[in-house]
Structure formats: C-alpha cells, structure tokens
Amino acid sequence: MKACQMNFRCVKCGQRHPSSECRRSIAAAPTCANCKGSHLANYRGCPAYKSIKERLVKLKEAANKLQEKPMSNRHQLILPPSLH
C-alpha cells in the first residue's frame, strides 16, 4: 500500500518505477530523484531532503504555537453590564 498518491520514483535512478524493478547495474552511479545528484534518493545528506526537512520543522513549530495561544475573545462569554 502506498502512503501517498504520488507516482513511484526509483531510489537508485530516479525514474518512474519501484526500486525493486530497477535495471540499473549496481556498479552504475545512482541518480537522486529529488535533486538529480549522484546519491540515492533516500540519502539524508541530500540538499533537497534537508530543505524539505527544515520546512517541515518550521511548519510543526508554527502549528504548535497556534495550539499554545489562549482562546480569543470570540470564544469567551460576554455578559451584559447588568450581570457584572
């Protein structure tokens, strides 16, 4: 089962097929599907991976900040002056 709806990209050659079906020889240099560099696409040192990882960290931090904010005035009960 695929985790997302994107097409397969081979970790070894970057083409549109599963890595298990890749015909590239083991001796041939890999081609990253993310940045076209000469490393496997799952290499954690990939510049594209690092960029995406940084963006995800920032998005998670922003989401956490939103959850930590106190409720806004629109959610508080507003009493008429006679009940204060």
Side-chain angles (χ1 to χ4, degrees):
M1 181 174 168
K2 288 182 9 176
C4 70
Q5 301 302 315
M6 295 182 70
N7 293 326
F8 279 108
R9 295 295 276 206
C10 179
V11 164
K12 301 173 192 173
C13 71
Q15 298 299 312
R16 295 179 190 261
H17 59 260
S19 299
S20 60
E21 297 175 8
C22 188
R23 295 183 181 187
R24 183 175 279 207
S25 73
I26 294 172
T31 302
C32 178
N34 302 310
C35 73
K36 307 296 184 229
S38 59
H39 55 266
L40 297 174
N42 59 358
Y43 172 55
R44 299 294 186 229
C46 174
Y49 173 81
K50 287 181 177 182
S51 174
I52 291 168
K53 182 79 172 177
E54 288 173 13
R55 201 166 82 211
L56 286 174
V57 167
K58 288 178 183 177
L59 287 171
K60 285 180 183 179
E61 288 173 355
N64 288 338
K65 285 181 183 178
L66 286 175
Q67 289 178 348
E68 293 171 1
K69 279 188 175 180
M71 291 178 60
S72 65
N73 289 339
R74 64 186 167 106
H75 296 287
Q76 295 175 356
L77 181 62
I78 300 173
L79 298 173
S82 60
L83 297 177
H84 281 271

